[in-house]
Amino acid sequence: MSDTDTAAWAALLRVHAALVPRIDRELQRRCGLPLTWYDVLLELNSAPGRRLSMGELGEVAVVSRTRASRVVDQLVAAGFVSRSSNPEDKRSAYAVITDEGRKVLRAAAPVYLAAIERFYTSHMSAAESRTVAAALEKVLAAGPHT
Amino acid sequence: MSDTDTAAWAALLRVHAALVPRIDRELQRRCGLPLTWYDVLLELNSAPGRRLSMGELGEVAVVSRTRASRVVDQLVAAGFVSRSSNPEDKRSAYAVITDEGRKVLRAAAPVYLAAIERFYTSHMSAAESRTVAAALEKVLAAGPHT
DNA sequence: AGTAACAATGTGCGTGCGCACGCACTTTCC
DNA sequence: GGAAAGTGCGTGCGCACGCACATTGTTACT
């Protein structure tokens, strides 16, 4: 357990704490879109058929399944998502992104990406960015166990 | 704005979402100590005089100043911290770690470090760990501006 | 077929969290 | 010296979040 290991963890906590509110504000101010909404819309948009069940959404998105269900409620109220039941399993409920939702997502994307670059990746080299991505993805790949 | 940049950001969000609850649970189960308490105690313990004003605590710790004030309330109730007023500025209130608090912190430290290694750094190489720490610290050093 | 285990949701509830505000005190400026 | 602006703190409030549970539907087993 080296010292840089704890430094790597502490830095991750601090960067998260500092940047998430900043980027969320930026997105909300310029697009009226909370970060959570963006995340959910992005996952729905890139999913096969542009739809996902609540369970799938909870797994793939950053939010929990429970939270995803409520965020979808809000997105439905805003007209960005519609619920549609799965004829093959009536327990499950699909969330489908609407055209309006895709429109808003396309409008927000450049703002989001610019914020990421401005607050985050512009402060590191391309090589560092690659290493960070690779290392963190390995952590994720390890899964809940171990 | 390359693709690995967004990957580095997305991975950070996911790692945070996955690991923080896990480590918090571990710490709470084995030491009865929430992660927030640990963070605050750690900062207090390594501060000059083992004490910090609320404003300083809010800046140095991961939590906000407001939150820090409430966490200190809990820590006082638990006997790990005591409040002490600053004679030179009667507005401010110092939080001082008690001997009991230091004891609990020393007991929790190995558990915390082991959890970080187990869930986080054991999945990357030492070189990656160094790069991650260095890159994220540069992001932090950039500060709230820009 | 019938029933018992299992799975996918949605929701009540408690907790964590930060913002906006007011109070007490300090500093600055006249 | 006195008023006005500024600073540090604690707290009321509302939102975000996840857990535990109830509900509804599915599957497996006899």
Side-chain angles (χ1 to χ4, degrees):
Chain A
M1 190 59 189
S2 106
D3 210 31
T4 59
D5 285 358
T6 78
W9 174 246
L12 186 140
L13 287 182
R14 286 171 154 69
V15 167
H16 177 91
L19 263 52
V20 166
R22 238 180 270 172
I23 292 180
D24 186 82
R25 282 197 199 315
E26 178 89 1
L27 212 54
Q28 205 147 350
R29 185 175 60 85
R30 307 232 336 229
C31 314
L33 207 66
L35 184 54
T36 312
W37 288 24
Y38 184 92
D39 184 30
V40 167
L41 288 179
L42 184 71
E43 293 299 342
L44 288 179
N45 194 49
S46 63
R50 307 201 185 291
R51 67 197 164 119
L52 244 38
S53 76
M54 292 304 148
E56 294 167 332
L57 191 54
E59 282 178 0
V60 68
V62 172
V63 300
S64 70
R65 182 196 63 79
T66 302
R67 184 67 196 146
S69 181
R70 298 195 203 264
V71 171
V72 166
D73 281 345
Q74 300 173 317
L75 289 170
V76 168
F80 300 156
V81 163
S82 71
R83 283 183 192 274
S84 120
S85 66
N86 177 0
E88 296 178 0
D89 188 340
K90 290 179 185 169
R91 289 170 304 180
S92 71
Y94 281 130
V96 193
I97 188 171
T98 64
D99 290 348
E100 182 72 15
R102 298 192 64 192
K103 201 173 136 194
V104 133
L105 181 60
R106 271 197 300 271
V111 174
Y112 185 53
L113 298 184
I116 292 174
E117 168 148 38
R118 174 154 162 251
F119 294 128
Y120 189 54
T121 48
S122 73
H123 302 294
M124 58 179 88
S125 72
E128 282 172 325
S129 174
R130 277 193 298 274
T131 301
V132 168
L136 295 183
E137 273 159 13
K138 281 197 292 185
V139 171
L140 288 173
H145 50 291
T146 68
Chain B
M1 188 61 189
S2 108
D3 210 31
T4 59
D5 286 358
T6 78
W9 174 246
L12 185 139
L13 287 182
R14 287 175 204 290
V15 167
H16 177 92
L19 263 52
V20 166
R22 239 180 269 171
I23 293 180
D24 186 81
R25 281 194 200 310
E26 180 88 0
L27 212 55
Q28 204 149 351
R29 184 175 61 82
R30 308 233 334 233
C31 312
L33 207 67
L35 184 53
T36 311
W37 289 23
Y38 184 91
D39 184 30
V40 167
L41 288 179
L42 185 69
E43 294 298 343
L44 287 180
N45 194 49
S46 63
R50 307 201 187 289
R51 67 190 171 143
L52 243 39
S53 74
M54 292 304 147
E56 294 167 332
L57 191 53
E59 282 178 1
V60 67
V62 172
V63 300
S64 68
R65 182 195 62 82
T66 302
R67 185 65 195 148
S69 180
R70 297 195 203 266
V71 171
V72 166
D73 281 345
Q74 300 173 318
L75 289 170
V76 168
F80 300 156
V81 162
S82 71
R83 284 183 190 274
S84 120
S85 66
N86 177 0
E88 295 179 1
D89 187 339
K90 290 179 184 168
R91 292 170 302 179
S92 72
Y94 281 128
V96 193
I97 188 170
T98 64
D99 289 348
E100 181 71 15
R102 298 192 64 191
K103 200 172 136 194
V104 130
L105 181 60
R106 271 196 299 271
V111 174
Y112 184 54
L113 297 184
I116 292 173
E117 168 148 38
R118 173 153 162 252
F119 293 129
Y120 188 55
T121 48
S122 73
H123 301 295
M124 58 179 87
S125 72
E128 282 172 326
S129 174
R130 277 193 298 273
T131 301
V132 168
L136 295 183
E137 274 158 12
K138 281 198 290 185
V139 171
L140 288 173
H145 49 290
T146 69

